[in-house]
């Protein structure tokens, strides 16, 4: 029965998507009418529908990197195309009330300016990381404040690789944290480009006095293979495991619910941990914050949401998650959700810049 629900949901989403694509084409065709012949519009139309569906077909037939990654660029222009179409439609209806017309040429120009501007902003925010700092206090003894650098969602692959890893290494070198934590989605679905471009060499330069740790995310598809691979770069994977950073702080890393169906419940995972120490939980998806705020943890580090990545999708993620982005104290626990150091799919970010969190934990 559940399989039928999944199939029905998939078909429903697919139909809705194709309707939106068709409506976008009608709008583009209307704008092109004064400037393109019937043959030119036919060619543009064919290319438009190929681009709109190529990524979906690639996923169905499991086309790997880098082809699937290039095809995903379409979705950035699809989302922004829908946005500018709605804006132009509203403007057209308002102008009509005052007996003015919105010309095709003007509409085409505004659309071009909007898409170019969003592309420039998206590329800049995706590849220009910032540092966000937060100092928190926990109600437990910590002899000396501990500084943790947290990043998430690197999605190492076709569009994100050695160059951005070098930037991360530079930031970590400047900030001098005691430990580095990668909160899942280290890889972008597979390790094809990671291996092809020898990213292990650059990733292995990432270091901190108390170690570099990672959990798996929903895009770390071959989780066990990735666990084995990152060990070669000197990174310590926490796969439903814990490690004592020092005598006062314990780091606990969860398996991801999307790729590891056998993961422990958080309460069971904590049974093997000394709860007198400060507990820092790393859970890629921040979907259990309300539950975790009742458990004996002190800090949670998450990613996954990308804060929507492409505006206005952030308004959706804000309603899905208790904390889709940023920092919040809930019931005496400290929760962090990063918008990600990298990105998934299109190489654009228009809701938040790529970021590194520097979290200083002080005791009582």
């Amino acid at each position: 029965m559940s399989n039928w629900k999944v199939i029905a949901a998939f078909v429903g989403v697919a139909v809705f998507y194709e309707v939106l694509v068709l409506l976008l084409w009608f709008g583009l065709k209307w704008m092109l009418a004064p400037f393109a012949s019937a043959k030119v519009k036919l060619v543009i139309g064919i290319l438009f529908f190929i681009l709109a569906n190529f990524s979906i077909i690639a996923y169905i037939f499991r086309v790997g990197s880098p082809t699937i990654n290039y095809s995903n660029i379409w979705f950035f222009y699809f989302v922004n195309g829908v946005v500018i179409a709605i804006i132009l439609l509203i403007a057209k209806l308002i102008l009509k009330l005052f007996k003015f017309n919105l010309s095709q040429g003007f509409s085409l120009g505004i659309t071009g300016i909007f898409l170019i501007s969003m592309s420039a902003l998206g590329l800049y925010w995706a590849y220009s990381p910032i540092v966000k700092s937060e100092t928190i206090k926990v109600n437990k003894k910590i002899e000396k404040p501990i500084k943790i650098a947290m990043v998430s969602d690197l999605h190492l692959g076709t569009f994100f690789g050695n160059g951005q890893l070098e930037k991360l290494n530079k930031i970590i070198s400047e900030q001098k944290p005691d430990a580095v934590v990668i909160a899942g989605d280290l890889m972008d679905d597979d390790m094809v480009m990671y291996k092809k471009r020898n990213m292990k060499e650059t990733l292995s330069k990432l270091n901190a006095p108390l170690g570099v740790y990672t959990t798996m995310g929903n895009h770390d598809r071959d989780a066990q293979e990735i666990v084995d691979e990152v060990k070669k770069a000197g990174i310590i994977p926490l796969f439903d495991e814990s490690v004592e950073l020092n005598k006062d702080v314990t780091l606990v890393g969860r398996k991801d619910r999307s790729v590891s169906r056998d993961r422990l419940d958080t309460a069971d995972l904590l049974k093997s941990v000394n709860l007198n120490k400060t507990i820092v939980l790393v859970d890629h998806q921040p979907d259990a914050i309300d539950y975790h705020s009742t458990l004996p943890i002190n800090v949670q580090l998450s990613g996954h949401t990308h804060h929507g990545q492409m505006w206005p999708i952030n308004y959706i993620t804000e309603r899905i998650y208790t904390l889709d982005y940023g920092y919040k104290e809930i019931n005496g626990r400290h929760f962090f959700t990063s918008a990600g150091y990298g990105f998934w799919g299109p190489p654009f970010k228009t809701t938040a810049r790529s970021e590194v969190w520097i979290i200083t934990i002080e005791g009582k």
Side-chain angles (χ1 to χ4, degrees), residues 11-22:
V11 172
V13 171
V15 170
F16 180 67
Y17 170 74
E18 294 299 341
V19 169
L20 287 179
V21 169
L22 189 62

Side-chain angles (χ1 to χ4, degrees), residues 215-234:
T215 55
M216 297 295 101
N218 57 301
H219 286 279
D220 296 313
R221 298 289 173 83
D222 298 316
Q224 189 57 56
E225 184 184 353
I226 293 171
V227 164
D228 296 337
E229 185 67 27
V230 297
K231 287 179 181 178
K232 299 175 185 177

Side-chain angles (χ1 to χ4, degrees), residues 44-247:
I44 293 174
I46 292 172
L47 291 174
F48 184 85
F49 282 97
I50 289 175
L51 286 172
N53 291 283
F54 185 81
S55 185
I56 296 171
I57 295 169
Y59 273 109
I60 292 173
F61 289 97
R62 300 182 180 276
V63 176
S65 302
T67 305
I68 188 68
N69 305 114
Y70 287 112
S71 66
N72 283 337
I73 293 174
W74 153 261
F75 290 110
F76 177 78
Y77 293 101
F78 168 73
V79 169
N80 284 283
V82 171
V83 170
I84 191 62
I86 291 172
I87 292 172
L88 288 174
L89 180 60
I90 293 172
K92 185 177 177 65
L93 293 174
I94 292 174
L95 288 173
K96 193 173 182 180
L97 294 175
F98 297 95
K99 297 183 179 180
F100 289 104
N101 289 321
L102 190 65
S103 71
Q104 289 137 303
F106 181 80
S107 299
L108 187 61
I110 290 296
T111 299
I113 292 170
F114 178 78
L115 293 179
I116 291 171
S117 299
M118 293 300 282
S119 298
L121 175 67
L123 284 169
Y124 179 70
W125 277 13
Y127 290 101
S128 302
I130 59 172
V131 175
K132 305 194 72 172
S133 301
E134 191 75 38
T135 298
I136 60 174
K137 290 189 176 183
V138 298
N139 193 32
K140 290 181 180 176
K141 180 184 175 183
I142 297 180
E143 189 173 295
K144 179 184 176 183
I146 185 171
K147 183 190 289 188
I148 297 175
M150 189 267 281
V151 293
S152 73
D153 303 276
L154 275 71
H155 291 274
L156 297 176
T158 302
F159 299 124
F160 208 83
N162 289 312
Q164 294 308 109
L165 285 175
E166 290 289 6
K167 288 182 182 180
L168 178 59
N169 291 337
K170 185 173 183 293
I171 290 171
I172 297 303
S173 177
E174 292 171 348
Q175 295 296 321
K176 295 179 171 55
D178 298 301
V180 176
V181 174
I182 302 171
D185 277 358
L186 180 59
M187 303 296 174
D188 195 30
D189 294 324
D190 59 44
M191 291 191 290
V192 173
M193 302 308 292
Y194 174 83
K195 292 180 177 179
K196 185 175 181 179
R197 294 176 180 171
N198 191 28
M199 296 181 200
K200 178 178 77 70
E201 184 176 337
T202 313
L203 186 62
S204 64
K205 297 176 185 176
L206 192 63
N207 62 77
L210 300 181
V212 180
Y213 304 87
T214 188
T215 55
M216 297 295 101
N218 57 301
H219 286 279
D220 296 313
R221 298 289 173 83
D222 298 316
Q224 189 57 56
E225 184 184 353
I226 293 171
V227 164
D228 296 337
E229 185 67 27
V230 297
K231 287 179 181 178
K232 299 175 185 177
I235 293 176
I236 303 167
L238 296 177
F239 214 38
D240 267 0
E241 297 168 302
S242 63
V243 62
E244 293 184 355
L245 293 180
N246 57 30
K247 65 179 183 178

Side-chain angles (χ1 to χ4, degrees), residues 292-338:
H292 289 168
S293 69
T294 67
L295 298 179
I297 68 167
N298 303 102
V299 184
Q300 176 173 314
L301 309 178
S302 300
H304 179 64
T305 69
H306 296 245
H307 193 36
Q309 186 165 322
M310 295 179 286
W311 184 85
I313 297 176
N314 53 300
Y315 294 117
I316 298 174
T317 58
E318 285 171 5
R319 282 155 181 77
I320 293 175
Y321 298 97
T322 299
L323 180 66
D324 93 303
Y325 175 58
Y327 161 71
K328 189 175 185 180
E329 183 176 352
I330 304 173
N331 198 23
R333 283 79 166 167
H334 303 273
F335 294 90
F336 293 85
T337 302
S338 174

